[in-house]
Amino acid sequence: MSQPDQSAEAPKYRRVVLKISGEGFMYPGERGIAMDAVLHIARQTYNAAQHGVQIAIVIGGGNILRGAQFTSGNSCVHEATAHYMGMLATMINGLALQDALESLGCNTRLMTAVRTDGVAEPYIRRRARRHLEKGRLVILAGGTGSPFVTTDTAAAQRALELESEIILKATRVDGVFSDDPEKNPHAVLYSELSYDDFLRQNLRVMDHEAITKCAEYNMPILVFNFRKDGNIENAVLGQRIGTLIHE
Ligand code: UDP
């Protein structure tokens, strides 16, 4: 990365995990990768990093493929294979994001939990920390490297092992609502929620497995809208956007 801007406002957090779903890489209703959308996220991330915060980005793959698509009884693809296909989809997104960030002048590293020597470094916790300490934006692809979970769980796992202070979960809506805001206009946006309330109300913004892991270690999660320009920066500055899920 170009050096952090010394005159920039101090960030609230020293180190964060930013979870970006594959849907951030496409336009609503489409599939695949729209580089304009990737650049929009890259620019916001670059601006956030200028405040001196260390950012590890856990990338999803849902714009290309989710393992669950193949779970119907008549699929000849084994469920575990389907999940590996999903993990490889996150690699494709990681490569696109890396080039988008580097086109803006960021110094990046792409690391993966599924070995793909030649395109990305294997994920090694200590090496990831070192990259972060050197001011590199670290993109974490391949999820956890194990099937049957999602990249939300990977975000929880990496946040804990990299000693992130928070997970910033970028979504296409403003935060956690009492109901699906895209279907119910009366859905209420929560500004804060406890882990227990999230689980009790069976809210769907983030995987319950990931929330449970965060609850166990008291890792806060900020759910916010990445489509609003400047929101990734607002999130690292600690501005009151979205929904904070905590103890
Ligand atoms: N996946 C997996 N293990 C992991 C992470 C992901 O098996 O640790 C697979 C899973 O099938 C998942 C797909 O990769 O559906 C893509 O990830 P995800 O659905 O989390 O992407 P997002 O919804 O964030 O775009």
Side-chain angles (χ1 to χ4, degrees):
M1 150 120 352
S2 50
Q3 287 307 303
D5 180 352
Q6 298 301 335
S7 62
E9 196 178 327
K12 177 163 182 186
Y13 307 105
R14 184 184 50 89
R15 182 177 294 162
V16 302
V17 161
L18 174 64
K19 163 71 209 291
I20 299 175
S21 293
E23 67 188 9
F25 282 18
M26 64 187 193
Y27 291 117
E30 293 180 3
R31 309 279 305 159
I33 298 181
M35 274 320 282
D36 283 358
V38 182
L39 265 169
H40 180 243
I41 286 178
R43 223 172 270 120
Q44 289 196 57
T45 309
Y46 172 81
N47 291 339
Q50 285 297 308
H51 293 272
V53 61
Q54 298 174 15
I55 306 178
I57 305 164
V58 171
I59 190 92
N63 53 320
I64 299 169
L65 193 145
R66 287 195 177 97
Q69 284 168 238
F70 292 86
T71 51
S72 77
N74 58 7
S75 172
C76 65
V77 176
H78 189 282
E79 195 170 343
T81 308
H83 289 300
Y84 280 107
M85 290 159 73
M87 285 184 253
L88 292 177
T90 71
M91 278 299 301
I92 295 174
N93 285 337
L95 286 166
L97 181 62
Q98 181 171 41
D99 275 14
L101 284 165
E102 295 216 328
S103 76
L104 302 172
C106 291
N107 200 349
T108 67
R109 289 292 184 275
L110 176 61
M111 304 187 96
T112 171
V114 178
R115 291 203 64 160
T116 46
D117 298 351
V119 283
E121 291 180 22
Y123 173 75
I124 297 169
R125 184 179 77 93
R126 283 171 176 273
R127 197 185 283 177
R129 289 174 64 112
R130 192 81 191 106
H131 288 322
L132 290 167
E133 284 158 9
K134 287 187 170 171
R136 296 170 181 148
L137 278 171
V138 177
I139 303 164
L140 300 173
T144 62
S146 297
F148 300 102
V149 291
T150 70
T151 52
D152 281 352
T153 299
Q157 176 73 37
R158 300 298 181 233
L160 291 170
E161 64 186 290
L162 295 173
E163 294 174 290
S164 165
E165 284 156 279
I166 191 166
I167 297 174
L168 305 177
K169 159 104 176 150
T171 70
R172 60 175 189 221
V173 291
D174 284 340
V176 183
F177 287 79
S178 55
D179 196 3
D180 184 348
E182 289 174 348
K183 293 186 186 140
N184 178 359
H186 303 296
V188 177
L189 173 67
Y190 299 114
S191 63
E192 281 184 62
L193 264 179
S194 68
Y195 302 112
D196 283 348
D197 283 341
F198 185 95
L199 293 168
R200 211 175 299 122
Q201 292 184 47
N202 204 18
L203 297 165
R204 289 271 151 217
V205 176
M206 194 157 182
D207 279 10
H208 284 200
E209 193 172 336
I211 296 278
T212 305
K213 184 57 80 189
C214 290
E216 200 180 331
Y217 291 92
N218 197 16
M219 171 65 65
I221 305 156
L222 181 74
V223 180
F224 69 99
N225 190 339
F226 66 83
R227 292 226 164 97
K228 291 199 175 146
D229 216 17
N231 254 1
I232 297 179
E233 198 173 352
N234 293 337
V236 304
L237 289 173
Q239 291 179 9
R240 290 311 306 256
I241 56 168
T243 305
L244 185 66
I245 307 173
H246 60 145
E247 226 170 14

